[in-house]
Amino acid sequence: PNDNPSFSVTNEATKTTLRFNASYQATPDILVYATAAQGFRIGGTNDNAINPGNVDIPASFGPDSLWSYELGWKTRLFHNMITLNGAAYAIRWSDIQVGDFSPSSPFPYVQNAGKASIDGIEVELDIRPVAGLAIFASGSYQDARLTEDFPVPDGVILDPNDELGKKDDRIPNVPKFQFGGSVEYRWPVGGNLTAALRGDLTYRGKTDSLFRTGNGFNVHLAPYTLADLQAS
């Protein structure tokens, strides 16, 4: 006989999303813009909830939605020698869907984690001072955090030693700082042949895979830098 439990889950969600955009061409080489937009994802079910053994995983999770606001600029300077683009943004997220592990077992599942906010800025710079030479740099800062304590999902019974995400905890897998850059030089060497030298540098700040950084299933990724050199 099959001892696995059976159940039926029905989720229904309807959402009309809106987007507003305004831009101003200050000069032929300078554009500023502002955008406000909604985002929405439907809910779903957690397959691991059907495992036998009283696994404390909710059978389903609900939809999440957000408003994002962005103010940015796009510029070309000194006869297109320099391109400088950037944007500042704010995201207000409700019922954010996050992956987690059951407090009492290594079963992954998805649940709704209340409210979160992401505030950030990103900038990119492209410089081409002479023929064949290209210099590129970009960077970003993101403050991604919960703005309320992690709600306990239906069907989950917490042990007194278990801890869920708390207000002001960082959102997993979102580093505060990221930046990168490259320098490339190309020149003809005769006929149809071109030689090139290129160097790339990338930095990514530290992150964790779970809100509960002390959890045994959390993966802490220290900050790292990657360097690459090429010749062709």
Side-chain angles (χ1 to χ4, degrees), residues 46 56-62 98 100-103 109-114 150-158 164:
N46 288 308
D56 52 352
I57 290 176
S60 65
F61 56 94
V98 298
D100 207 340
F101 287 89
S102 166
Y109 68 101
V110 177
Q111 67 174 309
N112 298 98
F150 213 99
V152 179
D154 293 339
V156 172
I157 301 175
L158 290 179
L164 297 179

Side-chain angles (χ1 to χ4, degrees), residues 140-159:
S140 66
Y141 168 81
Q142 293 186 101
D143 182 17
R145 64 203 183 278
L146 290 177
T147 54
E148 66 179 16
D149 289 349
F150 213 99
V152 179
D154 293 339
V156 172
I157 301 175
L158 290 179
D159 184 274

Side-chain angles (χ1 to χ4, degrees), residues 68-158:
S68 67
Y69 310 92
E70 181 176 337
L71 179 63
W73 67 91
K74 297 179 180 293
T75 63
R76 292 185 179 272
L77 308 172
F78 304 106
H79 305 288
N80 294 332
M81 181 186 299
I82 297 176
T83 300
L84 177 62
N85 301 328
Y89 56 88
I91 297 173
R92 299 297 177 259
W93 211 328
S94 297
D95 299 318
I96 177 175
Q97 296 175 9
V98 298
D100 207 340
F101 287 89
S102 166
S104 61
S105 61
F107 291 104
Y109 68 101
V110 177
Q111 67 174 309
N112 298 98
K115 295 182 179 180
S117 291
I118 304 175
D119 299 306
I121 186 170
E122 55 187 22
V123 178
E124 61 179 24
L125 175 66
D126 190 328
I127 305 175
R128 300 177 183 268
V130 296
L133 179 61
I135 303 170
F136 178 80
S138 64
S140 66
Y141 168 81
Q142 293 186 101
D143 182 17
R145 64 203 183 278
L146 290 177
T147 54
E148 66 179 16
D149 289 349
F150 213 99
V152 179
D154 293 339
V156 172
I157 301 175
L158 290 179

Side-chain angles (χ1 to χ4, degrees), residues 152-202:
V152 179
D154 293 339
V156 172
I157 301 175
L158 290 179
D159 184 274
N161 295 321
D162 290 327
E163 180 183 353
L164 297 179
K166 301 294 184 182
K167 180 181 178 180
D168 295 327
D169 281 356
R170 292 194 52 73
I171 295 177
N173 300 310
V174 182
K176 273 192 173 184
F177 296 99
Q178 296 185 92
F179 65 81
S182 65
V183 177
E184 182 179 75
Y185 182 62
R186 293 178 173 269
W187 70 97
V189 291
N192 294 323
L193 298 178
T194 299
L197 293 174
R198 180 184 175 94
D200 293 270
L201 188 71
T202 302

Side-chain angles (χ1 to χ4, degrees), residues 10-12 15 17 59 99 111 132 147 150 154 206 211 224 232:
T10 301
N11 279 334
E12 182 175 339
K15 179 72 172 179
T17 57
Q111 67 174 309
T147 54
F150 213 99
D154 293 339
K206 64 180 180 179
F211 287 103
Y224 64 85
S232 62

